[in-house]
Amino acid sequence: MQFLNGITLLLIYQLVGEVTVRLLGIPIPGPVLGMVMLFITLMIRGAAPDSVEQASGALLSHLSLLFVPAGVGMMAHFHRIAEEWVPITLSLLLSTVITMVATALIMQATTRWLVKQPMAEEQNND
């Protein structure tokens, strides 16, 4: 029963994200907004409920099954991929490099911020 409650909660957040995106015309996927809302809720609560942990654990254990539709889509559109392999490859390489650079910069900034924050707390305590 906990698994069902967890899945229901995850799907409700996805639905709320999808509805919000459609009503407000926000240019991001609804499930992503729902996930952000779920993340904020979990941060406010301080922990994930057991039902959500159980449901998310079950989904993650079967994550490889979620790649089957993408593989089928690639096979169905193989002729198009073969025709446009150069722009696809360039966009994949460029987006990968941009993502890696952005991640590194964000990680550096976050690390510096987290290191400075405890120092400031120590100085306030003195």
Side-chain angles (χ1 to χ4, degrees):
M1 189 66 173
Q2 286 223 4
F3 174 78
L4 193 57
N5 290 340
I7 286 289
T8 302
L9 189 62
L10 294 174
L11 290 174
I12 286 171
Y13 272 95
Q14 181 176 352
L15 176 65
V16 169
E18 191 69 45
V19 169
T20 304
V21 163
R22 290 183 188 260
L23 287 176
L24 300 178
I26 302 171
I28 61 171
V32 172
L33 182 61
M35 188 181 299
V36 169
M37 290 181 202
L38 176 63
F39 178 73
I40 291 168
T41 303
L42 295 178
M43 291 296 292
I44 291 170
R45 284 193 64 174
D50 290 337
S51 59
V52 172
E53 283 190 26
Q54 187 178 6
S56 59
L59 287 172
L60 287 174
S61 68
H62 300 294
L63 187 63
S64 59
L65 291 176
L66 300 176
F67 289 101
V68 171
V72 170
M74 286 186 64
M75 294 285 80
H77 297 285
F78 186 75
H79 66 282
R80 184 167 184 191
I81 294 171
E83 291 172 0
E84 300 178 22
W85 70 271
V86 174
I88 292 172
T89 303
L90 289 176
S91 63
L92 285 172
L93 289 173
L94 185 63
S95 65
T96 300
V97 170
I98 290 171
T99 301
M100 291 172 67
V101 169
T103 303
L105 292 173
I106 291 169
M107 185 66 187
Q108 284 181 343
T110 305
T111 303
R112 287 186 190 131
W113 180 71
L114 289 175
V115 168
K116 287 180 184 179
Q117 192 174 19
M119 290 178 157
E121 289 176 6
E122 287 177 14
Q123 290 174 355
N124 289 339
N125 290 337
D126 291 339

